[in-house]
Amino acid sequence: MIRHVFIALMLATPAVAQDIEFSTDATENCLENDGADCIGRSADACMEATDGGTSTAGMGACLEKELEWWDGRLNDAYGKAMEVARSADEAEGERPLTQADALREMQRAWITFRDAKCDWEAVQWGGGTGAGPARLSCLMHTTGEQSLVLERHLEQR
């Protein structure tokens, strides 16, 4: 995806972020068909469909929309996983480390990792205009990956 962002930056044209054409269809269709590399499909489609979608502002707006969608999925999956963990903890009785506590600590550590990882991605651009889209792309991909981890965990329960 970072390669796509770089290529798109090279072709950048002015855009008005409010006029983006975003839909989650490309990502949802990919996930339904159990395809690989679904994260970012809707942002890519948005950049292609939006007039000025390859500008820094257009890319940022499209990436942010898909990031928000993945963040919503992640929050839903985390909430459901926490409910499952709490139920399991009640059934298993008192222990030094509960499933709910372990899940919460894992998620907190993941957030710290995600933020550091994506800050590192952004600084690779040396403060240039590509830093914003690079960070958003990283946040989108990393959040999507974590969402899928929790969703798959729930499916296996």
Side-chain angles (χ1 to χ4, degrees):
M1 178 62 190
I2 296 299
R3 251 181 301 164
H4 295 178
V5 171
F6 178 74
I7 291 168
L9 279 173
M10 299 306 293
L11 303 172
T13 58
V16 177
Q18 295 90 325
D19 295 334
I20 64 167
E21 295 183 30
F22 181 81
S23 167
T24 59
D25 291 348
T27 304
E28 289 179 10
N29 290 338
C30 179
L31 290 170
E32 283 177 14
N33 296 317
D34 201 26
D37 300 323
C38 296
I39 301 166
R41 296 258 178 124
S42 293
D44 288 344
C46 173
M47 288 178 223
E48 291 173 15
T50 300
D51 193 24
T54 57
S55 69
T56 302
M59 287 187 298
C62 291
L63 291 164
E64 190 165 0
K65 286 292 186 185
E66 187 167 342
L67 168 59
E68 290 170 0
W69 183 76
W70 280 112
D71 192 53
R73 282 182 69 124
L74 175 60
N75 288 332
D76 289 346
Y78 177 76
K80 290 173 185 170
M82 188 56 79
E83 288 175 18
V84 169
R86 286 184 179 132
S87 293
D89 290 340
E90 288 176 14
E92 293 175 9
E94 210 170 303
R95 293 172 309 182
L97 180 63
T98 66
Q99 288 188 32
D101 289 341
L103 175 62
R104 184 179 310 103
E105 289 307 309
M106 181 274 301
Q107 192 67 7
R108 286 177 179 166
W110 171 81
I111 290 168
T112 300
F113 167 76
R114 177 204 61 193
D115 291 349
K117 176 184 178 186
C118 296
D119 286 346
W120 180 75
E121 281 289 330
V123 300
Q124 302 305 305
W125 290 84
T129 59
R135 186 170 198 287
L136 286 168
S137 177
C138 177
L139 289 169
M140 177 190 64
H141 279 90
T142 308
T143 302
E145 290 164 0
Q146 183 70 358
S147 175
L148 294 174
V149 164
L150 291 178
E151 290 171 2
R152 288 179 183 135
H153 172 76
L154 288 166
E155 289 171 4
Q156 295 171 358
R157 301 284 300 192

